[in-house]
Amino acid sequence: MFSAELQEELIHLCWEYQYGSLSPKEAARLEKLVLNHAEARDLFIQYSGMCANLEWEGIVDPGPLGRSTDYDPLSSTELRTIPDYLLVRRTAPARWKVLSAILAFSLLIISSVCLLYFQFWLERPPRFLVRVIDTQNAIWGEGKRNWSPEDLLHTGDQMHLTSGVVELETISGAQVILKGTSRLILIEPDQFKLNLGNLFAHVPPQSQGLTVETPTSRIVDLGTRFGLIVDPRQETEVHVIKGLVEFNLLNSDREISITRNLTENTAIRVQPHSRNIATIESTPEIFVQSLHTREPELVAHWKLSEQESSRIARDSRDHHLNLHIIDSTGKSPFRGHQAPRNATTAAGPFDSQFHKLYRRLSEAEAKLFHMDRFTIELWARNPNKDRQGDSDTLFHYRNVEQHSTSQFNLFSDDQTGQLGFGFLATDKKYRSYRVDKTSRWQKDCWYHIVFTYDANSSAPNDSIVTFTRTPEYASEPDLQQSFTNIEDITPLVPGGILAIGGSTLNDISRHWGGDLSDVRFINGIPDRHANIHLKSHQEKHN
């Protein structure tokens, strides 16, 4: 039987025979097939006849067609050793060899062109690196570009924001929000330099590695939210809201001198030309984290770390609610005293009516303080317990032309040391409350005081107040108390005096006595203070 495999082998051998490329072993195999199989003989004759006709017509070059003189038949002994099926090396026809070579060369050229093209595309900067998503009340520097939503930023572009808020999106998907007076430079994809201002960044997993440089440091986000502040003196603050941040302190050659990993809910402050990294209170509400939801907002932040000769306590926030000493008789409370938690300096002592910081609030400024829901937090030590006044005032507001009493007062009782608060209620009557616990104030020990107020609902007399006091370096507060069913506070009346360390300008008895630091007024209640407030709210409704 002449199988399909033998037929394929015979055609291949006939092809090689036509072009005279048969090896002796292949010639012997062809001879054996033709002599032993009638079907093979018929196929061989047909193939040879076809080739002869093609040669006659001049269509192909038939090759030697068996006319080679170097064929030496094998002996009959060797012929018998050839198997019935011989595995032979198949050689493509010459024309296919040429076509294959051409095809291979073409593929090589195409591959090279594609490789060069994609390499060029990868190395070529993208069309844009950052896109402006939105702006709110943005005012730009004089003579500088006014950026608008959908504008695209490229390498080297700068933003000179005077006021307002701007939201950006990087090409990798990170969200960056600038607030207030800010100077930002785009260096390369996911890398900025903040020379001045307030920056918040939300960094999803695909954008990890977002880098922001300042005049003194380099911050690398490892996911997922952080805030950064650079003030006009080039003091830098880093607040890690969630995730992990790598902080690198740079020397004068902008080489890394110190590296520190900052974890969630931690914050640091670095002075210019200093290697000291001070731990500070994490304050997420300093930053705008979304343009579309209302977050707790830091209205004013008085660090009280000015130089001794200063007559102004500067507000580090956008509203610039700077406090002043009394013009003619006032004395500067800035003596360079040791501040809590490694901060630079604190103000104090507020030991007389002449040591007091105040500001008369305009109509626009009074509206900044939302007295329906707010938080006051500060650091204090050494209240003035040896005086005969009724209280030692921490934070105070009063419009003497409109009211005979304080509109709001945060104090420590002069005799017992109990923390308390008083206010002008909406029924025009003054209300005052003190915590139940008699508070012992250890000499020279700093205490972190947090006061929250929530009007709760539109119904009268259902407000909630919380008081918390925590000694420096303590892990738990030594005082924590809630008040419920409290009357509603009257909004601040414009034209009144906001004072820290004392009360009204002519009051000679209600000054704090000791030192104060890091005073903050926050609209809303931050998450870190919300637990005790929420507990009080639940207990009220149980």
Side-chain angles (χ1 to χ4, degrees):
M1 180 178 179
F2 195 68
S3 64
E5 289 85 0
L6 290 177
Q7 183 177 354
E8 181 182 1
E9 181 187 8
L10 177 61
I11 292 174
H12 174 74
L13 293 174
C14 289
W15 180 276
E16 298 289 82
Y17 170 72
Q18 176 193 355
Y19 284 93
S21 57
L22 279 175
S23 67
K25 195 170 185 179
E26 289 173 331
R29 174 61 179 165
L30 176 60
E31 183 178 357
K32 183 175 181 180
L33 289 174
V34 171
L35 293 177
N36 293 338
H37 298 278
E39 296 92 338
R41 283 196 298 273
D42 293 340
L43 182 57
F44 179 77
I45 293 171
Q46 293 175 10
Y47 185 88
S48 299
M50 180 187 68
C51 290
N53 289 333
L54 292 173
E55 180 189 16
W56 180 263
E57 297 292 335
I59 297 175
V60 298
D61 177 11
L65 272 177
R67 290 173 287 179
S68 173
T69 57
D70 58 356
Y71 171 55
D72 186 14
L74 298 175
S75 64
S76 59
T77 304
E78 285 185 86
L79 191 60
R80 293 193 199 94
T81 63
I82 297 178
D84 288 337
Y85 184 77
L86 182 65
L87 292 174
V88 297
R89 176 180 57 84
R90 287 168 169 76
T91 305
R95 71 182 71 178
W96 293 111
K97 290 181 180 179
V98 174
L99 291 175
S100 298
I102 294 173
L103 180 61
F105 181 75
S106 301
L107 290 175
L108 177 62
I109 295 298
I110 294 172
S111 300
S112 299
V113 171
C114 290
L115 180 62
L116 291 173
Y117 176 78
F118 286 115
Q119 184 68 23
F120 168 77
W121 179 257
L122 289 174
E123 294 179 354
R124 177 190 177 193
R127 291 188 303 109
F128 70 95
L129 305 180
V130 173
R131 180 166 62 99
V132 180
I133 299 298
D134 199 0
T135 63
Q136 286 186 0
N137 304 317
I139 298 177
W140 303 97
E142 185 176 354
K144 305 299 182 180
R145 175 168 176 177
N146 293 357
W147 297 90
S148 302
E150 301 303 323
D151 282 350
L152 306 178
L153 282 74
H154 303 79
T155 301
D157 280 343
Q158 301 184 22
M159 281 191 162
H160 292 255
L161 182 65
T162 299
S163 63
V165 182
V166 178
E167 181 180 3
L168 309 173
E169 183 184 33
T170 70
I171 195 169
S172 66
Q175 176 199 31
V176 175
I177 296 179
L178 289 178
K179 182 180 81 166
T181 303
S182 300
R183 305 288 182 265
L184 185 71
I185 302 174
L186 178 58
I187 300 175
E188 58 183 41
D190 287 331
Q191 185 172 358
F192 299 89
K193 185 174 182 183
L194 183 69
N195 288 320
L196 174 68
N198 177 302
L199 178 148
F200 164 79
H202 176 254
V203 183
Q206 73 272 15
S207 303
Q208 286 187 11
L210 178 82
T211 301
V212 183
E213 298 197 5
T214 77
T216 60
S217 53
R218 179 179 298 126
I219 295 87
V220 182
D221 185 274
L222 305 177
T224 53
R225 289 186 291 159
F226 75 96
L228 181 62
I229 297 172
V230 179
D231 74 3
R233 298 174 298 177
Q234 297 190 344
E235 179 181 274
T236 297
E237 291 185 13
V238 182
H239 298 249
V240 183
I241 300 168
K242 187 175 182 180
L244 182 67
V245 164
E246 178 186 282
F247 174 81
N248 299 291
L249 187 63
L250 305 181
N251 59 24
S252 57
D253 297 324
R254 301 201 65 77
E255 297 173 339
I256 297 175
S257 59
I258 299 176
T259 295
R260 180 181 295 182
N261 285 338
L262 306 178
T263 55
E264 189 168 321
N265 296 323
T266 61
I268 61 169
R269 179 184 297 153
V270 177
Q271 300 291 330
H273 314 299
S274 171
R275 293 176 59 85
N276 181 38
I277 302 175
T279 301
I280 61 174
E281 184 77 14
S282 177
T283 314
E285 57 274 6
I286 294 177
F287 309 97
V288 175
Q289 301 181 37
S290 172
L291 270 66
H292 307 292
T293 59
R294 182 179 175 182
E295 303 281 351
E297 178 195 5
L298 184 63
V299 177
H301 180 198
W302 300 284
K303 298 178 183 178
L304 306 184
S305 59
E306 277 71 17
Q307 298 177 354
E308 184 174 351
S309 60
S310 177
R311 300 177 65 85
I312 297 175
R314 297 192 180 278
D315 169 26
S316 64
R317 299 280 55 84
D318 304 327
H319 304 302
H320 306 296
L321 302 177
N322 299 332
L323 304 176
H324 308 271
I325 66 174
I326 300 176
D327 293 336
S328 58
T329 58
K331 298 179 181 179
S332 172
F334 304 108
R335 312 286 181 82
H337 288 187
Q338 177 187 358
R341 300 187 64 172
N342 299 316
T344 51
T345 60
F350 293 87
D351 56 0
S352 77
Q353 70 269 30
F354 304 117
H355 289 149
K356 154 182 333 184
L357 297 168
Y358 82 97
R359 181 182 185 88
R360 191 179 299 275
L361 297 185
S362 67
E363 183 174 357
E365 291 170 348
K367 290 180 179 179
L368 295 173
F369 296 81
H370 298 170
M371 303 305 289
D372 59 337
R373 181 177 169 86
F374 66 92
T375 301
I376 296 175
E377 59 177 307
L378 52 84
W379 287 87
R381 68 176 179 179
N382 300 335
N384 192 12
K385 293 177 63 177
D386 59 349
R387 295 281 181 176
Q388 294 304 309
D390 58 358
S391 64
D392 303 324
T393 301
L394 291 162
F395 190 99
H396 182 270
Y397 187 81
R398 182 178 180 183
N399 187 323
V400 295
E401 297 178 359
Q402 297 289 330
H403 305 288
S404 60
T405 186
S406 303
Q407 281 193 257
F408 181 79
N409 191 26
L410 190 65
F411 61 87
S412 171
D413 185 272
D414 191 59
Q415 302 298 320
T416 65
Q418 291 170 292
L419 288 170
F421 65 100
F423 59 91
L424 186 67
T426 52
D427 61 2
K428 306 303 180 182
K429 295 181 179 181
Y430 185 76
R431 302 287 193 274
S432 181
Y433 299 87
R434 288 172 172 80
V435 298
D436 297 333
K437 181 179 178 181
T438 299
S439 306
R440 180 174 180 268
W441 293 82
Q442 184 177 344
K443 183 175 174 56
D444 294 332
C445 176
W446 282 103
Y447 293 87
H448 186 221
I449 299 171
V450 178
F451 173 89
T452 71
Y453 173 88
D454 186 358
N456 191 30
S457 72
S458 58
N461 306 328
D462 69 342
S463 301
I464 300 172
V465 169
T466 69
F467 248 123
T468 305
R469 192 186 77 165
T470 307
E472 185 180 17
Y473 304 122
S475 59
E476 296 292 335
D478 67 350
L479 168 67
Q480 196 170 63
Q481 183 173 335
S482 300
F483 301 79
T484 57
N485 300 322
I486 302 298
E487 297 84 355
D488 294 343
I489 297 178
T490 302
L492 300 187
V493 177
I497 298 295
L498 186 152
I500 289 177
S503 57
T504 58
L505 298 184
N506 55 4
D507 195 323
I508 63 173
S509 63
R510 294 184 177 89
H511 41 269
W512 171 248
D515 302 331
L516 297 172
S517 179
D518 261 344
V519 180
R520 307 165 194 242
F521 188 99
I522 302 166
N523 285 338
I525 301 176
D527 291 342
R528 64 184 184 279
H529 302 318
N531 290 337
I532 181 174
H533 179 84
L534 179 61
K535 182 179 178 181
S536 302
H537 182 80
Q538 292 172 341
E539 291 174 351
K540 180 179 184 302
H541 288 84
N542 286 339

